[in-house]
Amino acid sequence: MKTKFFLLLLVFAIFQMRSQTIYSRTFGNPQENPVIFLHGGPGYNCANFEATTAQALAEKGFYVIVYDRRAEGRSEDTKAQFTFRETFDDLNLLYQKYGLSKATLIGHSFGGIVAALFAEDHPEKVQSVILVSAPVSLQATFKTILTKSKSLYLAKSDSLNLHYISMLENMDTTSIQYSSYCFGHALQNGFYSPKAATDEAKKIYLTFKTDTVLTKYAMNMTYEAPYGFWTNEKYTTIDLTDNLSAVQKLGVEIFGLYGVDDGLYSTSQVSDLQTILGQNNLKYLENCSHNVFIDQQAQFLGTVMEWGK
């Protein structure tokens, strides 16, 4: 009997040690419909959503949970494995910690990949998945970035960057270096920002900048995570087409929210995703880029209320 008791204590201690490495925070009433926000990356964190949108979403009648993945952001862990299995285990710990049986998953960018794969692995725990600026095919996204960047450099007769694009076109497209350079060009060319930000978005971004603590985290990328997920999961080659169809067949509804100004995705990529999800399950928002929940916050909140209840 004593042996069983000590074994239970040991299991509890291990659970506590693992769960304590994961930063998480809640907003709203635990009796409301639970929503878990999965941030982008790999290597980023939930700070921008946490500071700008989590409380606003909670006020719409949701119990909102945000967290940083293991060894990303504030979830420090020098022994992280950077595998989807480890990520799923951590998500399951969040379900246990907050007493959830089912939740809606809002997956932003890379977080959308995690959300879709978790829903395929644990459909009984997922009410629905809302993909927000999430890639379906990383290789298609890289191609879109290079095509759009090349067009901009040609228009400006930018021979130096055209030379860099030419070098990228001859690289191994599955390599972590290739993906890093592609995302670098996307950042350099403003693909993450709307061409004409709304007054609402400008105000939110300005307010966010006054929160120096969360702004520091939001701008801080860890480099172990992208290399780790590339090494262990070859995430630069992921194509979710079959996974999304499998999740739907398991009875989990999937939705999509994307910005017209998001330079990571062509209109054809978004159209192809709409074909998979269904005509009414995807919204393509004007004056909006990668951070849909900031660029068009009112529409984001209204849409989550429509889809998440």
Side-chain angles (χ1 to χ4, degrees), residues 152-169:
L152 289 173
Y153 299 146
L154 283 169
K156 295 186 293 185
S157 299
D158 187 340
S159 58
L160 179 60
N161 275 304
L162 284 170
H163 173 68
Y164 290 144
I165 293 294
S166 178
M167 291 174 64
L168 276 173
E169 289 173 336

Side-chain angles (χ1 to χ4, degrees), residues 156-284:
K156 295 186 293 185
S157 299
D158 187 340
S159 58
L160 179 60
N161 275 304
L162 284 170
H163 173 68
Y164 290 144
I165 293 294
S166 178
M167 291 174 64
L168 276 173
E169 289 173 336
N170 290 286
M171 283 182 67
D172 175 4
T173 65
T174 69
S175 69
I176 189 67
Q177 292 83 2
Y178 177 82
S179 67
S180 297
Y181 288 135
C182 285
F183 287 133
H185 282 283
L187 184 63
Q188 175 177 294
N189 290 315
F191 290 174
Y192 293 95
S193 303
K195 294 174 183 176
T198 65
D199 290 340
E200 176 193 42
K202 290 176 183 177
K203 183 177 179 180
I204 294 170
Y205 280 114
L206 283 173
T207 302
F208 179 40
K209 288 179 181 178
T210 66
D211 190 330
T212 55
V213 175
L214 286 179
T215 301
K216 178 189 73 173
Y217 283 114
M219 299 298 292
N220 184 30
M221 178 182 179
T222 58
Y223 293 95
E224 296 82 4
Y227 185 78
F229 275 105
W230 175 76
T231 301
N232 300 318
E233 301 288 359
K234 302 302 178 190
Y235 89 93
T236 58
T237 64
I238 285 176
D239 187 325
L240 292 178
T241 303
D242 292 338
N243 305 90
L244 295 177
S245 296
V247 171
Q248 290 173 317
K249 288 177 183 177
L250 290 168
V252 178
E253 199 158 13
I254 308 173
F255 303 93
L257 265 174
Y258 290 76
V260 173
D261 294 337
D262 191 337
L264 275 62
Y265 311 113
S266 64
T267 54
S268 63
Q269 282 175 273
V270 176
S271 178
D272 289 344
L273 178 58
Q274 189 166 37
T275 299
I276 296 171
L277 302 188
Q279 185 69 29
N280 298 322
N281 281 22
L282 187 143
K283 292 188 178 182
Y284 200 28

Side-chain angles (χ1 to χ4, degrees), residues 9 52 58 89-90 99 105 110 128 133 178 192 284 291:
L9 281 180
T52 65
D89 289 344
D90 288 338
L105 304 181
F110 179 75
S128 61
S133 310
Y178 177 82
Y192 293 95
Y284 200 28
N291 292 325

Side-chain angles (χ1 to χ4, degrees), residues 123-142:
E124 75 286 355
K125 292 188 174 185
V126 181
Q127 184 67 38
S128 61
V129 173
I130 301 177
L131 303 175
V132 180
S133 310
V136 174
S137 165
L138 268 299
Q139 290 294 304
T141 285
F142 299 146

Side-chain angles (χ1 to χ4, degrees), residues 273-304:
L273 178 58
Q274 189 166 37
T275 299
I276 296 171
L277 302 188
Q279 185 69 29
N280 298 322
N281 281 22
L282 187 143
K283 292 188 178 182
Y284 200 28
L285 306 181
E286 298 280 352
N287 298 323
C288 182
S289 186
H290 204 62
N291 292 325
V292 176
F293 49 87
I294 298 177
D295 296 343
Q296 287 289 0
Q297 188 171 95
Q299 291 192 63
F300 172 84
L301 296 173
T303 302
V304 174

